[in-house]
Amino acid sequence: MILALLACTTVTGPPEEEKLATVSHQVTFESITRLGPHRLDLTARHERQSGDRTEGFVIVWGGWDDFQVVRSRQGQITQDTRVLSGKAYTSTDGEIFHPQDDAELYRTDLATTWNEWDRQLEPVLGALVLTADRETVVEGRPAQRYLVSMDPEFVATGRNADVPTALSGHLTVDSGSGVRLVGEVHGEYLQNGDPEKPSTVTLNLLRTGLGEDVTIEPPTAFPTKKGKRRKKAKKPD
């Protein structure tokens, strides 16, 4: 049996495994919060003729009043948002932080931009097939492992669409929530369908510390006026 999923991903295997994988493509960030405190590390390596790039994405989740989101490019931090005891601080380099008046803006931003899996794999996502492999356990939680391959019947549509040519890897999904816990995907494609522009994307995803307390370091430096030293942040009560 083959089931078409959100974002055109395909799943093969027994009905229960198909249902679970379907859920994994429909989870919202609210589903992720039910895992309790944990850390997500995701990296994506893109190789194109125009240049290579590596992007990083980290979420340290302790709750809506205590979380951290870090984005990086080529190993350099481009965004570091920390919410501690309901107070928000933002930085574009991970060093100098700006206190913000309202943390709700950053809660909303996280809830709407957390899905880096789909964003980073966009050039090959439509051709991605998940095949049920085996049941497993991740940090004490029952999980289902899938193998990643390419749909041989996939046809890219649209002008200048990327054309997937190969896919491999694996994905492990939490059996209770459908949340992705561990994954590695390597995809090859023709950028804009051009045979002269072979490209690749390699993604690694890992959630750790499920249900364990997390530590989010408070900012220690803020913008200063000329002639004044930076003030260190007080640790939230």
Side-chain angles (χ1 to χ4, degrees):
M1 182 182 295
I2 298 177
L3 181 65
L5 301 180
L6 188 67
C8 301
T9 299
T10 300
V11 178
T12 64
E16 285 303 311
E17 283 75 2
E18 287 187 0
K19 181 179 179 180
L20 179 60
T22 302
V23 171
S24 77
H25 287 272
Q26 298 174 337
V27 295
T28 63
F29 194 77
E30 187 63 30
S31 303
I32 294 172
T33 66
R34 299 190 189 108
L35 290 177
H38 66 279
R39 177 187 175 104
L40 165 70
D41 288 272
L42 183 150
T43 59
R45 172 73 174 172
H46 296 266
E47 297 182 359
R48 293 183 173 184
Q49 281 192 347
S50 57
D52 302 342
R53 75 177 191 275
T54 299
E55 296 186 32
F57 182 62
V58 175
I59 297 176
V60 182
W61 177 255
W64 285 116
D65 284 335
D66 294 279
F67 66 86
Q68 180 179 12
V69 179
V70 181
R71 295 180 184 273
S72 62
R73 191 180 180 96
Q74 306 296 70
Q76 300 296 315
I77 291 175
T78 59
Q79 174 195 348
D80 187 342
T81 299
R82 304 183 192 184
V83 174
L84 295 147
S85 299
K87 298 179 180 180
Y89 307 86
T90 61
S91 172
T92 57
D93 60 7
E95 296 182 5
I96 307 301
F97 284 82
H98 299 261
Q100 303 297 331
D101 294 332
D102 186 4
E104 188 60 29
L105 172 65
Y106 304 98
R107 297 186 183 103
T108 301
D109 181 66
L110 175 58
T112 56
T113 64
W114 63 271
N115 193 354
E116 284 292 299
W117 174 277
D118 281 7
R119 188 177 79 85
Q120 298 291 350
L121 292 178
E122 193 274 336
V124 297
L125 193 62
L128 191 149
V129 173
L130 297 178
T131 302
D133 182 22
R134 65 175 185 272
E135 294 181 351
T136 186
V137 175
V138 176
E139 296 199 5
R141 297 183 67 93
Q144 175 67 43
R145 188 176 191 269
Y146 297 87
L147 299 178
V148 172
S149 61
M150 178 176 161
D151 181 355
E153 298 181 359
F154 176 79
V155 177
T157 59
R159 185 177 181 181
N160 295 325
D162 296 323
V163 177
T165 56
L167 271 162
S168 61
H170 60 85
L171 172 66
T172 300
V173 173
D174 179 62
S175 295
S177 64
V179 174
R180 303 179 185 99
L181 300 178
V182 183
E184 180 178 341
V185 176
H186 177 75
E188 300 177 14
Y189 63 99
L190 303 179
Q191 184 182 354
N192 303 132
D194 188 343
E196 301 299 320
K197 295 182 178 180
S199 307
T200 67
V201 55
T202 301
L203 180 147
N204 289 275
L205 176 151
L206 179 64
R207 293 186 196 275
T208 56
L210 301 178
E212 300 178 5
D213 291 338
V214 297
T215 299
I216 301 172
E217 295 294 333
T220 57
F222 298 95
T224 60
K225 294 182 180 179
K226 188 176 181 180
K228 292 186 178 181
R229 299 179 63 184
R230 296 171 183 170
K231 296 181 179 180
K232 289 191 175 182
K234 294 181 180 181
K235 192 170 183 178
D237 297 331

